[in-house]
Amino acid sequence: MSDSREPVAIGSTPLSIDDVVAVARHGAPVLLTEEAALAVKDMRVRMLAGLDADGPPVYGLTTGVGDLYDVSVAPEHVSSAQLKMLKSHACGVGEPYPPEVMRAMILLIVRAMAQGRSGVGLGLVETLVAMLNRGVTPWSPGRGSVGYLIGTAHIGLVTAGLGRAYFEGELLPGAEAMRRAGLPVLELGPREGHALVSGTYEVTAMAALAVHDARLLTAAADIAAAMSLEALRGNDRAFDPRVQQVRPHPGQAATAANLRALLDGSAIVAAHRHHRLQDPLSLRCAPQVHGSVRDALDYAERTVTIEANSVTDNPLFSVAGDELTAHTGGNGHGAPVAMALDVLAIAVTHLLNISERRTDRLTNAHFSELPAFLAAPGGEDSGFMIPQYVAASLAAEARALAQPASVHNIPTSAMQEDHVSMGVPAGWQARQAVEYAQQGLGIEILAAAQGLEHHGTLRPGAGTGAAYRAVRERVAALEEDREMYPDLAAARELVADGSLVAAVEAVVGGLAR
């Protein structure tokens, strides 16, 4: 896989969420630094030298895993047990993970292993990097994980020439995908199976992509709100900096600043400044609601960034002088990221809820002072009647997805793992909530653009005008009923791929995310 993007270096520099997206979604190349390679090699030598059949047991290396932690593995079976572990753990079910999630998992595994605390060989780390760079993407079912183990086990199978993987758009047996990419398969040694499955890479991969997409949604939501405010003859008094200063939540202030920039120079707002004393809450309180989403995403982003740069393996190895210590711990518990994903799902559901309320106002002639359902007069056209139904349906589903997954603990492994994160279910819920919010905001933007058609020669704001033009480049104004589903799909894409935000930022400068 080739890409013109700058390489993402794995070494002493922390990974950012943007780095994860660049590799997972856009194919940016990955470079393992010499410093990282030396750290991996050094710990591997020390760990192998420290293996002693008469020494203390090392979890997952000289013992079984889970409730088999107290069962010793014979020295001659230490290596073969690693592949067996991958085979037994690769038992996902249901729809497959998207390739971008699998690529993000691989990158996060590499980042953790490159810190030299897992005891794996350099060959494994280099193979994972080569799989990313040459486009070998393991296939894995996406359901069945309580927070780890499943997707990463399927990755491990491909390194050993088993499982299945995508290569150049084709789903192949793992060995064939590796052969076509010119990569040798591995004979996994001590620790190398267990280290692949024992971290939080699965849930963190889903979280990094969801945080990135949710960040983009906040700017799109501000654009949608500003367009709706103009279409509904609203005013911008509630966005005055003096209002924000006495309640200084960072997200609220950032949202209000965005809205002021988007509406700057609006002849529509100027003409209706005294049209009503105050607007409904879905318009007037956009800074408070969108801002709360921003603040929630700050927490989620901080948590996911820490996790992406952590070592969540178990055991971990450290060296003091010449003494090697194997630490058994709980860094593999996905609670921090699972809770962040639950918060993210709640946050984007709020964006969708308030957006749907604005869409209803745009289409409801009892409140909008616009044609009923933004349709042509005469009663034979339904206009935007049913897109509002769609937004309502998505909002209802998102509310169900916003119910926290991380609190639904079910013990596993014969009560040895008696509290699990449910991070992957939380990840799926957050991912779906983001997709619903993308579509819901797309519907609002279409309806708002249609509403702006009814303001004659009055000029919209600098930002809202740019947004209107971006919409019209993809979707024509609705003059009479037509098939609407292509318009809704185009509007979602405009939000999801960043085109809407980019078009606006080209005019008003960078918007707070």
Side-chain angles (χ1 to χ4, degrees):
M1 177 176 288
S2 62
D3 193 272
S4 60
R5 298 179 69 101
E6 287 294 315
V8 172
I10 303 297
S12 59
T13 303
L15 274 181
S16 68
I17 286 177
D18 284 345
D19 290 333
V20 176
V21 173
V23 173
R25 189 171 285 170
H26 304 300
V30 177
L31 172 67
L32 187 69
T33 66
E34 184 177 350
E35 172 191 21
L38 288 172
V40 172
K41 287 195 292 186
D42 179 66
M43 185 57 75
R44 181 66 169 176
V45 169
R46 291 174 181 272
M47 190 206 74
L48 292 177
L51 276 179
D52 185 350
D54 297 322
V58 178
Y59 175 70
L61 179 60
T62 62
T63 75
V65 294
D67 194 46
L68 301 176
Y69 71 95
D70 57 353
V71 178
S72 296
V73 174
E76 64 271 21
H77 295 149
V78 165
S79 291
S80 62
Q82 300 298 304
L83 184 56
K84 287 185 176 181
M85 196 180 305
L86 294 177
K87 290 177 178 178
S88 68
H89 286 48
C91 58
V93 297
E95 63 180 296
Y97 277 117
E100 64 177 27
V101 175
M102 298 302 293
R103 287 179 56 81
M105 279 188 225
I106 297 174
L107 179 67
L108 294 168
I109 293 170
V110 169
R111 170 61 182 149
M113 289 182 173
Q115 297 181 55
R117 303 297 295 275
S118 294
V120 300
L122 181 59
L124 173 58
V125 182
E126 290 179 332
T127 294
L128 293 169
V129 170
M131 289 167 65
L132 287 171
N133 289 340
R134 299 192 193 183
V136 177
T137 303
W139 171 93
S140 171
R143 304 290 181 173
S145 172
V146 297
Y148 57 168
L149 304 176
I150 300 295
T152 49
H154 284 269
I155 290 169
L157 287 181
V158 175
T159 68
L162 302 172
R164 293 197 283 174
Y166 297 99
F167 182 70
E168 295 183 343
E170 188 176 355
L171 182 58
L172 302 165
E176 178 63 12
M178 295 289 275
R179 185 192 69 78
R180 291 192 191 183
L183 297 176
V185 298
L186 301 176
E187 184 174 335
L188 297 173
R191 270 255 70 218
E192 293 187 326
H194 189 219
L196 281 163
V197 300
S198 71
T200 63
Y201 318 115
E202 201 162 350
V203 60
T204 309
M206 299 186 82
L209 295 167
V211 167
H212 173 272
D213 292 346
R215 279 291 190 197
L216 192 59
L217 273 179
T218 59
D222 293 347
I223 293 167
M227 293 176 72
S228 293
L229 183 138
E230 285 185 320
L232 292 166
R233 297 172 173 81
N235 67 73
D236 59 358
R237 289 192 294 273
F239 312 146
D240 190 306
R242 292 167 293 185
V243 175
Q244 322 313 317
Q245 287 166 2
V246 296
R247 196 192 194 194
H249 291 291
Q252 176 177 329
T255 303
N258 276 359
L259 291 166
R260 292 194 300 271
L262 291 163
L263 294 167
D264 185 48
S266 173
I268 299 173
V269 170
H272 300 97
R273 191 169 303 281
H274 303 292
H275 184 66
R276 64 177 72 92
L277 177 61
Q278 63 178 20
D279 293 323
L281 294 179
S282 58
L283 297 174
R284 176 165 37 105
C285 293
Q288 288 75 16
V289 178
H290 296 193
S292 297
V293 172
R294 284 187 162 85
D295 292 341
L297 292 180
D298 283 345
Y299 152 70
E301 182 171 351
R302 181 174 65 252
T303 300
V304 174
T305 301
I306 290 171
E307 194 78 357
N309 291 285
S310 298
V311 181
T312 56
D313 201 353
N314 178 38
L316 303 172
F317 296 91
S318 67
V319 176
D322 291 328
E323 183 178 354
L324 175 74
T325 302
H327 304 274
T328 298
N331 283 0
H333 197 297
V337 183
M339 292 184 200
L341 281 163
D342 281 341
V343 169
L344 187 151
I346 291 168
V348 298
T349 297
H350 277 289
L351 280 187
L352 176 52
N353 280 339
I354 196 169
S355 171
E356 184 278 327
R357 289 294 78 211
R358 293 190 295 258
T359 297
D360 179 67
R361 286 206 165 256
L362 287 162
T363 57
N364 187 338
H366 299 287
F367 299 101
S368 69
E369 302 177 69
L370 295 166
F373 306 112
L374 303 169
E380 62 189 83
D381 289 289
S382 297
F384 277 79
M385 179 190 294
I386 307 306
Q388 188 271 326
Y389 287 32
V390 176
S393 173
L394 296 175
E397 285 198 54
R399 290 169 195 172
L401 295 169
Q403 303 304 308
S406 62
V407 298
H408 293 291
N409 175 62
I410 297 177
T412 59
S413 197
M415 290 295 288
Q416 176 63 14
E417 298 179 1
D418 57 351
H419 187 280
V420 296
S421 73
M422 292 299 173
V424 169
W428 278 113
Q429 289 183 192
R431 187 178 179 90
Q432 188 67 73
V434 167
E435 291 178 4
Y436 286 166
Q438 289 168 340
Q439 183 64 80
L441 284 166
I443 291 170
E444 181 189 357
I445 288 162
L446 281 185
Q450 188 71 18
L452 289 174
E453 303 290 347
H454 297 278
H455 284 277
T457 60
L458 289 176
R459 183 185 67 254
T464 50
Y468 171 84
R469 292 189 294 274
V471 171
R472 288 292 171 252
E473 285 176 3
R474 299 199 189 187
V475 181
L478 188 67
E479 296 180 358
E480 62 179 0
D481 280 355
R482 62 176 182 245
E483 294 172 273
M484 293 290 283
Y485 66 89
D487 295 353
L488 302 193
R492 179 191 176 275
E493 189 67 19
L494 192 65
V495 172
D497 69 9
S499 298
L500 177 74
V501 174
V504 172
E505 289 184 326
V507 174
V508 303
L511 295 171
R513 302 291 173 91

